[in-house]
Amino acid sequence: MDRLVIQGGVPLLGRVAISGAKNAALPCIAAALLTAEPVQLRHLPAVSDIRTMIRVLQALGCAAESQKDEAGFDMSVQLTAASLDTGELRAPYDLVKTMRASILVLGPLLARFGRASVSLPGGCAIGARPVNLHLEALERMGAQMTIDKGYVEARVPVGRLRGIDHAFTKVSVGATENILMAATLADGTTTLRNAAQEPEVGDLAIMLQAMGAQIEGINTPTLTIRGVERLGGCEHAVIPDRIEAGTFLCAVAAACGDVVLERVEPDQIRSVIDLLERCGCVFTERQGAEGRHLRIQRECGQKLRAKDIATAPYPGFPTDLQAQVMAVMTQATGISVIRETIFENRFQHAMELERLGANLRIDGGTAIVAGPCPLTGCTVMATDLRASATLVIAGLVAQGETTVDRIYHLDRGYAGLEQKLKSLGARVERVGGGKV
Ligand code: UD1
């Protein structure tokens, strides 16, 4: 099993290109199931979750051809879901259990074929993560569901889903994406209220429009989708990964340095920039040849101020950056209260940070961090994707050697994190049983 060995205490200096957004790419891959024509996706991050999602589509009978770009951090894929009609349309447990986002094939399959069999994802390290919001909306659209041997067996008796006026009882990124895709081919108009406004939902909607879908209200809490008879192929480049960008910002804020992020959308990480600015980091934005650039500076020895954070749906502070920002707060002067409001079990990194010397306390969904605290390297264990990134950030800060174990979690969602950090001067090595 691979692990990262980090020699801490080195500031980060230089430029780094942000990869395509994993969480935008996953629904875009699922959307290829909505058409028999080829779909060309570019700027996908070369990470294991993307490879898993492509495998899910291949298991359903979809043809896939992928290619890495020169640097090896991004990839493109052509997906053709032409002759799936006669197949089993079954997303198997072996794949779904490794990645919950596989449930995103359910909406497109029901919309186009009127039937699907998708394994239920099961539990997850950061919380229960049910899929009831996805299933309830699809049932209202006319799907009949049973759970049999761990699989959702779904079919649409009348053949085609129907449009509905639906208010989600809770904001859910995945449920919004699943029902948005389902609605594109439904009979009639669907209105989705209390829809997630995350940029990844907007990116999916733009791709669906390029396929011929009729969608209004993109990037607002109310989406209106007029169902069409069929969708066609398209070419689509996914948006830059705001969570990867935010992770680098947290790394510089915690370990000090001067770094320019290339191919980034600062407007999509405004809550993070604002927070780190209030802590004392300095930001500069400008337009480059290949998208926007964002520079972050924290001079060595410069004090950070502790700030409070509460995670919230977009445009609030992202839960996917809560762990990384906790590593920053261990270096800030004062008390920081961090409230996690999206997932109930998302503080597993806290115990590992304590092992490195952080001074913190967890009380239910709240973490209280007292800083600044000198961190000292030791062996720590990654428990989930974003927790792994936090431990890497803490390792960059800690004096001496930190070993982050179980980094297969990291490989699920960060394209070449250690190579990118190395290019910024960090002393990071991957050791162990080879690439995932
Ligand atoms: C997506 C992201 C994940 C991010 C999360 C919240 C992808 C692939 N993953 O996950 O990185 O942390 O959004 O920004 O895009 N819920 C229900 N019932 C449901 C669905 C969700 O109760 O049917 C709850 C969840 O348990 C959670 C909350 O709603 O408490 C938000 O979850 P959701 O937005 O659905 O997260 P995902 O789409 O799974």
Side-chain angles (χ1 to χ4, degrees), residues 22-23 26 100-101 126 128-134 170-175 177 198 319-320 342-344 346 386:
K22 169 182 84 74
N23 286 355
L26 291 171
R100 303 179 47 81
I126 62 172
R129 300 187 82 175
V131 290
N132 59 309
L133 299 172
H134 305 234
K170 188 171 187 178
V171 179
S172 161
V173 175
E177 292 167 343
E198 268 67 3
T319 172
D320 284 353
I342 312 282
F343 293 109
E344 66 269 25
R346 211 172 193 180
R386 307 304 170 186

Side-chain angles (χ1 to χ4, degrees), residues 303-331:
K303 275 192 171 181
L304 283 182
R305 291 180 289 274
K307 295 288 164 200
D308 295 343
I309 305 131
T311 61
Y314 190 84
F317 194 90
T319 172
D320 284 353
L321 285 170
Q322 175 261 110
Q324 298 87 319
V325 99
M326 190 181 288
V328 177
M329 291 309 162
T330 66
Q331 300 309 299

Side-chain angles (χ1 to χ4, degrees), residues 123-306:
C124 164
I126 62 172
R129 300 187 82 175
V131 290
N132 59 309
L133 299 172
H134 305 234
L135 304 188
E136 278 160 23
L138 288 168
E139 273 180 341
R140 287 200 59 215
M141 294 176 89
Q144 284 183 358
M145 321 256 189
T146 52
I147 309 290
D148 187 25
K149 300 190 184 85
Y151 280 73
V152 181
E153 302 290 349
R155 49 183 59 245
V156 185
V158 297
R160 189 175 178 195
L161 293 171
R162 61 173 178 268
I164 50 167
D165 190 322
H166 186 74
F168 291 108
T169 49
K170 188 171 187 178
V171 179
S172 161
V173 175
T176 303
E177 292 167 343
N178 224 343
I179 309 310
L180 168 62
M181 289 189 277
T184 57
L185 289 177
D187 185 11
T189 298
T190 296
T191 305
L192 298 180
R193 303 176 198 276
N194 200 24
Q197 297 176 73
E198 268 67 3
E200 294 77 16
V201 179
D203 194 46
L204 170 66
I206 285 166
M207 170 183 170
L208 293 169
Q209 281 183 326
M211 295 171 78
Q214 305 285 316
I215 305 169
E216 279 172 32
I218 296 175
N219 297 328
T220 76
T222 306
L223 291 166
T224 308
I225 308 109
R226 197 157 54 78
V228 294
E229 294 276 339
R230 58 178 293 282
L231 294 174
C234 75
E235 258 194 62
H236 180 71
V238 305
I239 53 173
D241 196 316
R242 65 193 169 100
I243 306 302
E244 185 196 11
T247 300
F248 277 102
L249 296 183
C250 288
V252 178
C256 302
D258 183 349
V259 169
V260 175
L261 305 187
E262 297 171 352
R263 271 199 330 218
V264 63
E265 284 298 339
D267 289 342
Q268 295 178 354
I269 41 172
R270 215 33 88 191
S271 59
V272 185
I273 295 174
D274 286 353
L275 172 80
L276 296 178
E277 211 159 34
R278 286 189 292 120
C279 290
C281 298
V282 176
F283 287 89
T284 325
E285 290 172 38
R286 71 176 183 81
Q287 186 64 42
E290 257 207 81
R292 307 270 294 278
H293 288 187
L294 178 66
R295 180 178 181 190
I296 174 170
Q297 293 168 281
R298 180 191 164 205
E299 278 180 29
C300 293
Q302 181 201 332
K303 275 192 171 181
L304 283 182
R305 291 180 289 274

